[in-house]
Amino acid sequence: MTDLFTVMAQPQRRRILEHLRVGDASVGQLVDDLELPQPTISKHLKVLRDSGFVNCRTAAQQRIYSLDRRPFTEFDAWLEQFRTLWTDSFNALAEHLDSKGDQ
């Protein structure tokens, strides 16, 4: 399984994920909307599918792709430990600015 950082490092894969955030799409729709060649889209969809970021279902002759929320939920949980660092820093900055305003 490819990790999140490897998946997200590729700009075209991020574009595909951003597109699928809005709704499910077929390969043809992604080709048209993102203006990328079909082999490129298919290559990136395989990486996204193999790493668990997207699901695929068949509808008639088309493969329809959708986001799988689990990897994003796991990443969000991992990031949570770092949010307190930012929150603490912003709170300290706000207190500092407030104290300067009182002078």
Side-chain angles (χ1 to χ4, degrees), residues 9 11 13-14 35 39 44 56 68 86:
R13 285 196 286 266
R14 289 194 309 268
E35 298 178 345
H44 291 303
C56 178
D68 187 328
W86 286 107

Side-chain angles (χ1 to χ4, degrees), residues 34-45:
L34 300 176
E35 298 178 345
L36 293 169
Q38 184 274 325
T40 299
I41 294 285
S42 293
K43 175 183 80 167
H44 291 303
L45 285 170

Side-chain angles (χ1 to χ4, degrees), residues 71-100:
F72 299 100
T73 302
E74 291 170 13
F75 183 62
D76 185 55
W78 182 80
L79 278 176
E80 185 61 35
Q81 64 187 330
F82 299 97
R83 283 192 187 97
T84 57
L85 296 172
W86 286 107
T87 302
D88 293 346
S89 296
F90 287 134
N91 288 342
L93 176 61
E95 288 174 18
H96 174 73
L97 293 174
D98 287 345
S99 70
K100 291 292 185 184

Side-chain angles (χ1 to χ4, degrees), residues 22-59:
V22 178
D24 299 356
S26 67
V27 174
Q29 289 170 315
L30 291 167
V31 167
D32 291 343
D33 294 347
L34 300 176
E35 298 178 345
L36 293 169
Q38 184 274 325
T40 299
I41 294 285
S42 293
K43 175 183 80 167
H44 291 303
L45 285 170
K46 179 175 178 9
V47 171
L48 291 167
R49 190 177 63 245
D50 290 349
S51 60
F53 285 85
V54 298
N55 297 311
C56 178
R57 71 180 190 282
T58 303

